[in-house]
Amino acid sequence: MSAPPMSATSGTAATGIDPCAPAVPSRRALYRLNPLAKLAAPVPAMLALVFARDLTTPLVFLGIAYAVLLVGARWTARSAALLLIALPIGIALLSLGMSLWVDAARVSDTRAVVSLGAWTLHAGALEVGLATGLRLGAIAALAFIAGLTTTGPDLVRATVQQLRVPYRVGYTALAAFRFVPRFAYELDLIRQAHRVRGAHGGRGPFAAVARWSGYVVPLLAGAIRHAERVALAMDSRAFGAHRDRTERHSVPFRRRDVVFVAVFWLVSGVVLVALVPWAP
C-alpha cells in the first residue's frame, strides 16, 4: 500500500499556479544545482582553510567564492550588503581583535606599529590577526555559495531523496525552522495591536521591560495554537504512518551537479598545492 502524497493537487491546475513547486528565483546557474552539490563543493577548501596560516590562500578562496556568487547568484540589496559591507567589516574587526590576542613574545622581533606605554602592537601580530580574519571570512564566503542560493524545502527534499534521511526527521526539522518566521509575524501583529490600544507607552528601560513582558503571553499562546495546527495537519496526512512517502517534486542529482563538484574540488586542489607552504 503506497503512502499518500505530501500535498494535494486540487485547485492548482485551473489557475496554473503551483504553490508547492520548488522556488527558482533566477535563471542563474547556482539556483539550478542540487543543494547537496553546493554544500559538498566547498567543503575541502573550508577544511583546508582551517589549517592554513598564510595570507594568500584565504584571499584566493575569498576571490573564488565572490566570483562564483557574482556569476551564479542573483544579487539583491540584502545579499550585496552582506557580501560587500557586512563581511568586509567583519573581517576587519576579526583581524584587529585577533591581532590584539597574539602573544607579544612570539612577534617581538617584528616592527612595532603602535606603542602605548608598556604595550606594543607589532606588525607580526597584525599579520597573524589578518590571516585569521581572512581565513574565517573565506570560510563564510564559501558557505554563502549554498546559503544564499538554496531554499529550506529543497534542502530537505535533497537530504531525504539523496542522503536517505528519514522523512520524519527532515520534514519535522523543516516545520521547526518555519516556526521562526511565524513567530516574527506573530510578534509584529502583537506589537501593532499594543500600539493601537496605547498599551505600555512611554520611554526608558522600565517602559521597554513592560512592553516586552506584555508580548510574552500572547506570543506563547499563538505559538501553542500554531503548533496544534501543524500537528493536526501532519496527522491528517498520515505523517509517520509509513516508512516512505511519495514526493511531489524531486530534487535530482544531475550530471551538472557532478561537474560542479568535480571542478570546484579540482580548483581547490590546485590552489592548495600551489599556495600552501608544505613542510619538507
Side-chain angles (χ1 to χ4, degrees):
M1 179 178 179
S2 61
M6 289 298 296
S7 58
T9 58
S10 60
T12 60
T15 60
I17 299 174
D18 189 354
C20 299
V24 182
S26 174
R27 293 183 179 274
R28 297 294 183 93
L30 287 177
Y31 298 99
R32 304 288 177 175
L33 295 176
N34 189 288
L36 298 181
K38 292 181 284 187
L39 288 174
V43 166
M46 296 168 71
L47 293 177
L49 284 171
V50 175
F51 303 99
R53 293 296 180 267
D54 62 319
L55 295 174
T56 308
T57 303
L59 275 175
V60 171
F61 279 114
L62 194 62
I64 291 174
Y66 271 75
V68 171
L69 289 170
L70 181 63
V71 174
R74 181 175 60 91
W75 284 57
T76 61
R78 186 174 182 179
S79 61
L82 176 64
L83 294 172
L84 300 180
I85 299 177
L87 187 58
I89 291 177
I91 292 175
L93 294 177
L94 283 172
S95 301
L96 180 60
M98 292 297 177
S99 64
L100 299 177
W101 282 88
V102 176
D103 186 7
R106 296 176 54 189
V107 294
S108 58
D109 56 339
T110 60
R111 180 175 55 89
V113 178
V114 179
S115 295
L116 296 175
W119 177 80
T120 302
L121 180 63
H122 295 272
L126 286 176
E127 183 178 352
V128 173
L130 182 59
T132 305
L134 286 174
R135 188 162 66 248
L136 295 175
I139 292 174
L142 290 171
F144 288 151
I145 294 176
L148 294 178
T149 60
T150 304
T151 62
D154 282 346
L155 179 60
V156 171
R157 292 186 183 108
T159 56
V160 172
Q161 295 173 23
Q162 273 83 50
L163 298 183
R164 297 297 185 265
V165 173
Y167 75 90
R168 300 174 182 85
V169 177
Y171 288 102
T172 302
L174 180 61
F177 281 128
R178 287 186 172 179
F179 269 67
V180 178
R182 179 69 185 184
F183 286 162
Y185 174 73
E186 293 279 351
L187 179 60
D188 186 56
L189 290 181
I190 294 169
R191 294 176 65 179
Q192 292 180 16
H194 280 211
R195 283 197 295 267
V196 168
R197 292 171 174 82
H200 306 297
R203 298 181 178 180
F206 294 103
V209 171
R211 281 195 300 271
W212 283 100
S213 62
Y215 300 155
V216 173
V217 175
L219 187 62
L220 287 177
I224 293 172
R225 286 195 301 268
H226 182 62
E228 289 178 348
R229 288 193 295 266
V230 171
L232 288 174
M234 296 172 75
D235 189 45
S236 65
R237 290 166 174 80
F239 188 84
H242 301 272
R243 181 178 178 181
D244 298 310
R245 293 188 70 93
T246 56
E247 283 287 346
R248 185 176 181 184
H249 297 286
S250 62
V251 184
F253 202 90
R254 303 182 180 90
R255 185 180 302 174
R256 60 193 178 196
D257 301 305
V258 178
V259 171
F260 176 75
V261 174
V263 170
F264 209 105
W265 286 1
L266 179 61
V267 172
S268 300
V270 171
V271 171
L272 293 174
V273 171
L275 297 180
V276 174
W278 300 96

